[in-house]
């Protein structure tokens, strides 16, 4: 079943599995429950950025869908965002990818036919040197409940990054190599 309805954020939302606007929860992108990483400009209401790799982590409980309202300052097409989800606490897998436009758009980040507890990771994947402008994330919406991203999830990501640094350091410490060019 497909339903169209006008949400409180002033946009049309598509409900693929019969969700209703009455149960929708909207949260500003600047809310402390959203775990942002990277070079951002956070206000009480929104988050803006123009940097490759900026990432937002959003945890939801009992959600059939999550949407994001985003815009760019670029004249035609802004950056591209990629969304990964994990409902197991590990192995993020790709869910959606979309271009940001200059108009305030609401984009479906995740949809399911049954309520899920999910961690969504939304990342900017285009370098600003391609004229992507400043991207502004206004809000997120769900038919479930937003939750604070658990510290355990944050520690797992940091631990993985730390291990990669150690492995690279150990490799370079015990391996000698030289770069030469034949000119």
């Amino acid at each position: 079943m497909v339903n169209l309805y006008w949400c409180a954020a002033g946009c049309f939302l598509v409900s693929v599995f019969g969700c209703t606007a009455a149960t929708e929860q909207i949260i500003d992108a600047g809310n402390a429950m959203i775990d942002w990483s990277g070079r951002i400009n956070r206000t009480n209401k929104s988050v803006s950025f123009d940097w490759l790799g900026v990432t937002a982590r959003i945890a939801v409980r009992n959600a059939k869908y999550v949407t994001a309202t985003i815009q760019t300052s670029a004249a035609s097409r802004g950056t591209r965002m990629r969304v990964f989800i994990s409902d197991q606490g590990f192995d993020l897998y790709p869910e959606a990818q979309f271009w940001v436009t200059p108009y305030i758009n609401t984009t479906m980040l995740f949809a399911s036919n049954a309520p899920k507890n999910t961690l969504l990771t939304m990342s900017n994947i285009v370098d600003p040197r391609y004229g992507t402008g400043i991207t502004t994330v206004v809000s997120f919406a769900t038919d479930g409940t937003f939750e604070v991203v658990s510290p355990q999830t944050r520690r797992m990501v940091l631990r993985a990054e730390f291990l990669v640094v150690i492995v690279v350091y150990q490799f370079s410490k015990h391996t000698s190599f030289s770069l030469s060019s034949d000119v």
Side-chain angles (χ1 to χ4, degrees):
M1 172 171 24
V2 176
N3 296 319
L4 289 175
Y5 61 89
W6 188 255
C7 75
C11 53
F12 278 107
L13 291 180
V14 177
S15 172
V16 179
F17 301 107
C19 304
T20 62
T23 61
E24 184 173 69
Q25 180 184 5
I26 298 173
I27 188 171
D28 292 328
N31 190 300
M33 291 176 66
I34 309 298
D35 180 29
W36 287 94
S37 62
R39 195 174 87 174
I40 63 169
N41 181 18
R42 182 192 307 247
T43 67
N44 290 337
K45 299 278 184 186
S46 64
V47 171
S48 299
F49 54 87
D50 67 348
W51 202 253
L52 178 65
V54 168
T55 301
R57 289 188 182 88
I58 306 114
V60 292
R61 179 170 296 287
N62 295 322
K64 287 186 179 179
Y65 72 90
V66 177
T67 63
T69 303
I70 304 176
Q71 70 181 36
T72 183
S73 65
S76 60
R77 181 178 70 190
T79 194
R80 188 180 330 173
M81 305 296 287
R82 183 171 289 158
V83 180
F84 299 89
I85 64 170
S86 174
D87 54 8
Q88 305 284 320
F90 58 89
D91 288 335
L92 297 176
Y93 50 94
E95 179 71 12
Q97 183 169 297
F98 61 94
W99 287 101
V100 179
T101 66
Y103 312 103
I104 295 180
N105 289 308
T106 298
T107 303
M108 186 71 68
L109 303 182
F110 159 77
S112 172
N113 59 353
K116 289 188 173 188
N117 301 336
T118 303
L119 174 68
L120 285 88
T121 303
M122 181 179 75
S123 297
N124 179 19
I125 60 171
V126 178
D127 193 291
R129 68 181 158 176
Y130 295 108
T132 57
I134 296 173
T135 303
T136 301
V137 182
V138 178
S139 63
F140 296 95
T142 185
D143 63 336
T145 305
F146 288 104
E147 295 186 332
V148 175
V149 176
S150 72
Q152 178 183 8
T153 305
R154 290 179 184 173
R155 276 196 305 267
M156 288 182 353
V157 170
L158 292 175
R159 188 177 309 126
E161 291 172 359
F162 184 67
L163 289 175
V164 169
V165 170
I166 289 174
V167 169
V168 169
Y169 173 74
Q170 290 297 329
F171 177 77
S172 65
K173 184 176 174 184
H174 298 291
T175 305
S176 63
F177 59 91
S178 62
L179 297 174
S180 63
S181 63
D182 297 327
V183 179

